[in-house]
Amino acid sequence: MAEGSFWPAMDLLRSEPMQLVQLIIPMESAHRTISYLGDLGLFQFKDLNPEKSPFQRAYAGQIKRCAEMARKLRFFKDQMKKTGLSPSTRTINTEIDLDSLEVKLGELESELMEINANDEKLRHTYNELLEYKLVLQKAGEFFNSAQSTAAAHQREFEAQSGGEGSIDSPLLLEQEMTTDPSKHVKLGYISGLVPRDKAMAFEKILFRATRGNVFLKQSVVENLVVDPASGEKVEKNVFIVFYSGERAKNKILKICEAYGANRYPFTEDLGKQFQMITEVSGRLSELKTTIDVGKAHQSNLLQRIGFQIEQWTALVKQEKSVYHTLNMLSIDVTKKCLVAEGWCPVYAAHKIQDTLQQARLDSNSQIGGIFQVLQTKESPPTYFRTNKFTTPFQEIVDAYGVAKYREANPGVFTIVTFPFLFAVMFGDWGHGICLMLASLYLIAMEKKYSNQKLGDILEMTFGGRYLILMMSIFSIYTGLIYNEFFSVPFELFGPSAYSCRDSSCKDAYKAGLVKVRDTYPFGVDPVWHGTRSELPFLNSMKMKMSILFGVAQMNLGIILSYFNAKFFSNNLNVRYQFVPQMIFLNSLFGYLALLIIVKWCSGSQADLYHVMIYMFLSPTDDLGENQLFFGQKYLQMLLLVLALVAVPWMLFPKPFLLKKQHEERHQGQSYALLDNADDNLETEHHSSSHGHEEFEFSEVFVHQLIHTIEFVLGSVSNTASYLRLWALSLAHSELSSVFYDKVLLFSWELNNRVVLIIGIIVFVCATVGVLLVMETLSAFLHAMRLHWIEFQNKFYEGDGYKFSPFSFTLLLSEEDEAA
């Protein structure tokens, strides 16, 4: 739903009145009309061409054009991401139509692809030259080292044997020293680079393929080398292979190709080596300059695109959605117009008519669009006008199910009951202040975060900032009631009403305390914290409060079911169930709530467990010390009889009433239609396709029996389920007390500065991680469960469908979330 101004909360109680509308739009103004309706965002179109595939529809070509433009825009964004650029926030707003944009995007794509192709070629050449330079350097070292070693060996050999050659003389030098050309054996060599992870396998396969008739020398390149083929940085070795014969050369070349070894030419002449290194270095410098110029040109082009890419993207998305919507319309070729049908709120009728008129004027059309309301039996969509405050509460309800059209909406009650039930479980005004500060920070940063893409968790937290604020306010209130500030009690509203009878009173029971002044004015007396009587007292108070809240909310649910039946469905049968349901619930659990209140007001020590159990087992026995007021026994007997009477009252009348209505309808005595879906289901489920409908009384009776048993057992289980308010409140208080006593106070008592600092850090981390995150989530989920199951199942069906208007605002927000 679109966010707007702060509508009164009661606007959420019933959904907006809706109407089915037909629009007759002239061809020449159709595109502009749909576009204006997208800006308005208050019309939900129906598909009038469901039998046609997307490719058979009239505007499939335009949609394909928009899809191609969207592809080009994604290409630009990918290029910007690769270069580390992001769309500029300083957008240049220029008016541009779709045709001009299509031409412009094509030109920009061609230019950018040409820049990328040139850059790829230049980088490929640059990387090859870098590898070539490494080969020249490393292979030159091989030859210089080999020649130096050979010369030294030759001099040593000549000194020993008078200069005669032998099998032990160095091969290369011996070849050069031999005077007879016929004895020269020409050795060839191949040089290049091979990936280091393939170097060992490369060496093994060379020796196996040539049967060891090669000489391989490798040198490790210290730094990573950019591979010209893949463009990735890899570890490589420079190699040089000496061989003899053309056959060995061919084998070596094939092996180099198989192992991805890049080969480069090399010369033995030292002077030519230096000359080649100088030439390669010069070419590298020139290529580096050219690549930098191309990169700067690419960056400037992408920056210009970045100023308008968001505007172009929004335009393409809007145009594509307009054509998708036009494909949903029916084309009247003879009258040269388009026919649209859809839902809109009643209050928006004049806005839509004004939009049609404006579209006619702006498109210079002679004929304006026609707006007419259609009569239908279809169930309209559900639309609640929400805003940034009420949206999260409505989304909690919608997560369970969307309300039927004009059905009573639990969202209006959730605004109060949800944060309150959460606070009952999270009652600590210190923790509540922490939640409030977090929510106020999110509210203060609202403008900044609204325009940013946040993570999933932060997005959910930011969306529920006002919900968290309400939860924190209620938590502060319940924390003041419980008198807990990080589990520590304070005398905020005056001194305690009790004092110790003697010095050992600290660990005493309540009998060890003496009341010396008036009762503590607000919340739990601070003296109850830290005494042995604290646990049973707070246990009792929180448990009884949970029952009171549960009974009150379940009564509200039954009242709302009557409200729905009277004003929404006009269902006499559901309205007839209201009285027995209220009697049964309040004869038992309403009476228990009354006893709790009377006990609190009178200060009685009566055992309510005993009272409720023996109300069923021995209703006529005297209550004795458990009697809270005069005539209690007779009231209990009356309530027990009413509860027993309410069960058959819920079971028997409804099937007979349905049967009577069925007979009257077919005898012509009543022409009223049953509008309730449940009744139609019960009566028409057994009807034949021709003639008179048959009424299966047995099936209707069994159906009602199931509903009765479900309500009776549900009343018990739902009341017990509200005790989770007590359990989680106690758990939160005890966890907070453990962190305070066993971590913070313990480290303080050790009188060691290092231990104290560690204790404070652990306490803060435990408070934030466990109490402010995990406990908040736990209380949130349990409060949601109480609303979905214990409260809403009394009256809320939630089987409607949400109003989804054609809106550019919703379209762009959904696209951002998907991205």
Side-chain angles (χ1 to χ4, degrees):
M1 305 308 170
E3 294 188 357
S5 59
F6 279 74
W7 294 90
M10 290 305 292
D11 284 354
L12 291 176
L13 186 58
R14 303 291 293 277
S15 60
E16 288 289 334
M18 307 292 291
Q19 57 187 1
L20 183 63
V21 172
Q22 184 183 70
L23 304 179
I24 301 177
I25 308 170
M27 285 282 193
E28 59 270 18
S29 63
H31 182 278
R32 195 178 297 270
T33 300
I34 301 301
S35 180
Y36 286 0
L37 288 176
D39 290 328
L40 183 63
L42 289 173
F43 194 89
Q44 176 178 327
F45 288 90
K46 294 177 62 178
D47 190 359
L48 301 181
N49 305 301
E51 72 284 352
K52 293 183 179 180
S53 68
F55 303 102
Q56 295 174 331
R57 304 200 179 200
Y59 296 91
Q62 287 81 348
I63 293 176
K64 186 176 180 181
R65 286 177 57 202
C66 293
E68 179 63 18
M69 285 188 281
R71 182 198 61 79
K72 294 176 182 178
L73 290 169
R74 289 194 300 270
F75 169 70
F76 295 152
K77 289 184 178 180
D78 291 340
Q79 293 296 310
M80 295 173 66
K81 187 177 181 180
K82 289 180 180 179
T83 56
L85 298 175
S86 58
S88 176
T89 55
R90 186 169 58 88
T91 303
I92 300 176
N93 292 319
T94 57
E95 293 294 333
I96 186 170
D97 57 19
L98 194 65
D99 295 333
S100 301
L101 179 61
E102 185 178 20
V103 174
K104 189 175 185 63
L105 292 181
E107 294 174 351
L108 290 173
E109 184 187 31
S110 300
E111 183 177 0
L112 191 57
M113 291 181 69
E114 183 179 356
I115 292 174
N116 291 341
N118 293 335
D119 182 72
E120 185 178 354
K121 292 179 181 178
L122 291 172
R123 288 186 181 276
H124 185 271
T125 305
Y126 181 81
N127 293 329
E128 283 185 336
L129 289 175
L130 280 178
E131 288 193 343
Y132 189 22
K133 185 176 181 181
L134 288 172
V135 170
L136 291 173
Q137 293 172 346
K138 296 291 184 179
E141 294 175 2
F142 293 159
F143 274 86
N144 293 337
S145 176
Q147 290 176 354
S148 300
T149 304
H153 287 176
Q154 182 65 26
R155 287 192 296 271
E156 181 181 354
F157 178 78
E158 289 176 351
Q160 295 177 357
S161 60
E164 295 182 0
S166 70
I167 194 171
D168 296 327
S169 62
L171 176 63
L172 295 177
L173 188 58
E174 186 174 339
Q175 296 291 329
E176 296 176 357
M177 298 293 292
T178 304
T179 58
D180 189 357
S182 62
K183 295 182 180 180
H184 281 200
V185 178
K186 184 63 176 178
L187 292 179
Y189 54 86
I190 297 174
S191 58
L193 289 95
V194 64
R196 191 173 303 168
D197 57 348
K198 299 179 181 180
M200 291 298 295
F202 178 69
E203 182 176 355
K204 289 179 181 179
I205 199 67
L206 278 176
F207 277 88
R208 289 178 181 175
T210 61
R211 298 183 179 180
N213 292 319
V214 294
F215 177 73
L216 174 67
K217 185 70 175 179
Q218 295 191 61
S219 178
V220 175
V221 179
E222 293 80 5
N223 299 323
L224 295 175
V225 180
V226 180
D227 186 75
S230 64
E232 298 178 355
K233 291 184 177 181
V234 295
E235 295 178 331
K236 288 192 174 185
N237 292 350
V238 174
F239 70 90
I240 185 167
V241 183
F242 295 94
Y243 63 90
S244 176
E246 195 67 23
R247 187 176 179 182
K249 177 183 178 181
N250 293 332
K251 290 182 178 181
I252 295 171
L253 292 176
K254 290 180 180 179
I255 293 171
C256 289
E257 185 177 353
Y259 279 83
N262 300 327
R263 305 182 310 276
Y264 297 96
F266 182 77
T267 179
E268 301 177 30
D269 190 330
L270 186 60
K272 290 184 178 180
Q273 289 179 19
F274 285 119
Q275 182 181 356
M276 293 174 68
I277 291 176
T278 302
E279 291 177 358
V280 169
S281 298
R283 290 188 62 189
L284 284 172
S285 178
E286 293 175 359
L287 284 174
K288 178 65 174 174
T289 303
T290 306
I291 290 173
D292 290 341
V293 172
K295 187 175 181 180
H297 180 48
Q298 181 194 45
S299 179
N300 292 333
L301 179 61
L302 290 175
Q303 284 181 355
R304 294 202 312 268
I305 293 174
F307 287 126
Q308 294 181 294
I309 192 168
E310 295 296 338
Q311 179 186 1
W312 293 344
T313 303
L315 175 61
V316 171
K317 288 178 182 177
Q318 291 178 7
E319 290 295 321
K320 187 177 180 181
S321 65
V322 167
Y323 288 120
H324 271 299
T325 304
L326 286 170
N327 276 338
M328 299 169 66
L329 276 56
S330 175
I331 301 178
D332 191 335
V333 181
T334 58
K335 297 181 180 179
K336 296 182 179 181
C337 65
L338 297 175
V339 179
E341 290 184 8
W343 299 98
C344 71
V346 173
Y347 77 88
H350 69 282
K351 296 181 180 180
I352 296 175
Q353 293 173 356
D354 294 342
T355 299
L356 296 176
Q357 181 66 16
Q358 187 64 40
R360 183 189 71 82
L361 296 175
D362 293 345
S363 59
N364 297 321
S365 175
Q366 299 296 326
I367 304 173
I370 300 175
F371 178 96
Q372 56 185 8
V373 179
L374 302 178
Q375 300 297 324
T376 181
K377 293 183 179 180
E378 295 182 44
S379 177
T382 303
Y383 174 46
F384 297 104
R385 283 191 279 181
T386 59
N387 52 66
K388 58 187 177 183
F389 178 79
T390 57
T391 293
F393 298 98
Q394 187 60 47
E395 287 180 349
I396 290 175
V397 175
D398 291 344
Y400 175 83
V402 179
K404 272 187 176 181
Y405 176 65
R406 304 294 286 168
E407 181 183 10
N409 179 27
V412 64
F413 306 100
T414 305
I415 294 175
V416 176
T417 59
F418 188 90
F420 178 72
L421 292 184
F422 169 87
V424 171
M425 296 178 277
F426 195 79
D428 188 302
W429 61 280
H431 298 151
I433 290 175
C434 294
L435 280 183
M436 175 178 284
L437 294 176
S439 62
L440 290 177
Y441 171 78
L442 294 176
I443 292 173
M445 303 298 291
E446 189 172 288
K447 292 183 178 179
K448 177 181 178 181
Y449 287 158
S450 297
N451 300 322
Q452 293 183 358
K453 293 181 180 179
L454 308 175
D456 292 338
I457 297 178
L458 186 56
E459 182 72 30
M460 292 175 60
T461 305
F462 176 71
R465 57 196 179 277
Y466 290 101
L467 172 61
I468 298 174
L469 177 63
M470 292 291 290
M471 288 158 48
S472 65
I473 293 174
F474 279 84
S475 296
I476 293 173
Y477 169 75
T478 55
L480 292 174
I481 293 291
Y482 297 157
N483 199 352
E484 291 186 0
F485 179 85
F486 296 99
S487 79
V488 180
F490 282 87
E491 295 184 346
L492 293 177
F493 302 100
S496 171
Y498 298 89
S499 64
C500 293
R501 179 176 296 173
D502 50 46
S503 59
S504 63
C505 176
K506 182 178 180 181
D507 297 325
Y509 288 97
K510 184 179 177 182
L513 299 174
V514 178
K515 188 172 183 180
V516 296
R517 58 182 64 89
D518 293 338
T519 303
Y520 193 70
F522 187 84
V524 175
D525 195 302
V527 76
W528 291 102
H529 293 267
T531 64
R532 295 175 64 183
S533 58
E534 171 194 3
L535 188 60
F537 172 74
L538 291 180
N539 255 339
S540 176
M541 183 191 74
K542 293 179 179 179
M543 180 178 64
K544 293 172 182 176
M545 284 174 55
S546 301
I547 295 175
L548 292 178
F549 296 148
V551 172
Q553 194 170 39
M554 287 190 294
N555 273 281
L556 176 61
I558 298 176
I559 293 172
L560 287 175
S561 70
Y562 175 79
F563 173 83
N564 268 345
K566 183 174 182 179
F567 299 103
F568 162 60
S569 63
N570 196 26
N571 184 354
L572 298 176
N573 304 308
V574 175
R575 290 165 60 183
Y576 190 76
Q577 297 291 303
F578 171 73
V579 175
Q581 288 179 353
M582 290 292 289
I583 289 176
F584 181 83
L585 180 66
N586 291 290
S587 295
L588 303 179
F589 303 106
Y591 175 63
L592 176 59
L594 176 64
L595 292 180
I596 291 172
I597 296 173
V598 172
K599 181 178 178 180
W600 279 349
C601 295
S602 63
S604 172
Q605 299 297 318
D607 185 356
L608 299 186
Y609 298 105
H610 184 277
V611 172
M612 293 303 297
I613 290 173
Y614 283 92
M615 176 181 173
F616 292 91
L617 297 180
S618 302
T620 59
D621 292 352
D622 291 333
L623 298 174
E625 61 182 8
N626 291 323
Q627 181 168 331
L628 291 169
F629 53 88
F630 177 76
Q632 181 180 350
K633 182 178 71 172
Y634 301 104
L635 177 60
Q636 291 182 177
M637 294 172 62
L638 176 61
L639 293 176
L640 183 61
V641 171
L642 289 176
L644 294 176
V645 170
V647 175
W649 191 350
M650 287 184 284
L651 174 61
F652 292 107
K654 182 176 179 179
F656 288 101
L657 182 59
L658 287 175
K659 182 178 180 180
K660 181 180 179 182
Q661 289 180 345
H662 176 81
E663 293 174 350
E664 290 178 350
R665 188 163 60 250
H666 289 283
Q667 290 176 359
Q669 298 178 8
S670 173
Y671 297 96
L673 293 176
L674 291 179
D675 296 326
N676 182 264
D678 289 339
D679 297 338
N680 290 338
L681 178 64
E682 291 175 306
T683 57
E684 295 177 8
H685 175 72
H686 315 286
S687 63
S688 59
S689 58
H690 303 283
H692 184 70
E693 296 179 357
E694 296 182 1
F695 184 83
E696 294 292 340
F697 180 82
S698 59
E699 293 191 15
V700 175
F701 183 82
V702 171
H703 185 266
Q704 184 60 25
L705 177 63
I706 294 173
H707 277 292
T708 302
I709 296 174
E710 181 183 13
F711 179 81
V712 172
L713 297 181
S715 299
V716 180
S717 64
N718 293 166
T719 305
S721 186
Y722 277 95
L723 293 177
R724 70 184 67 240
L725 297 172
W726 155 56
L728 267 74
S729 175
L730 184 63
H732 183 85
S733 177
E734 290 301 309
L735 276 175
S736 180
S737 179
V738 167
F739 293 147
Y740 177 76
D741 294 336
K742 305 301 181 183
V743 177
L744 192 61
L745 288 185
F746 179 75
S747 59
W748 178 272
E749 292 171 356
L750 292 179
N751 199 21
N752 185 302
R753 183 173 297 178
V754 176
V755 175
L756 179 60
I757 293 174
I758 295 175
I760 292 175
I761 294 174
V762 172
F763 176 76
V764 172
C765 293
T767 299
V768 173
V770 177
L771 298 177
L772 294 181
V773 177
M774 294 179 61
E775 281 288 299
T776 300
L777 181 60
S778 175
F780 182 91
L781 294 176
H782 282 282
M784 185 180 292
R785 199 263 186 197
L786 288 174
H787 280 76
W788 283 358
I789 308 301
E790 278 68 34
F791 175 51
Q792 293 178 189
N793 72 344
K794 302 291 188 301
F795 68 97
Y796 186 62
E797 295 184 19
D799 55 354
Y801 65 102
K802 188 179 294 187
F803 177 58
S804 300
F806 173 60
S807 170
F808 291 150
T809 303
L810 293 178
L811 173 70
L812 296 178
S813 63
E814 290 173 0
E815 292 286 346
D816 291 339
E817 291 176 2

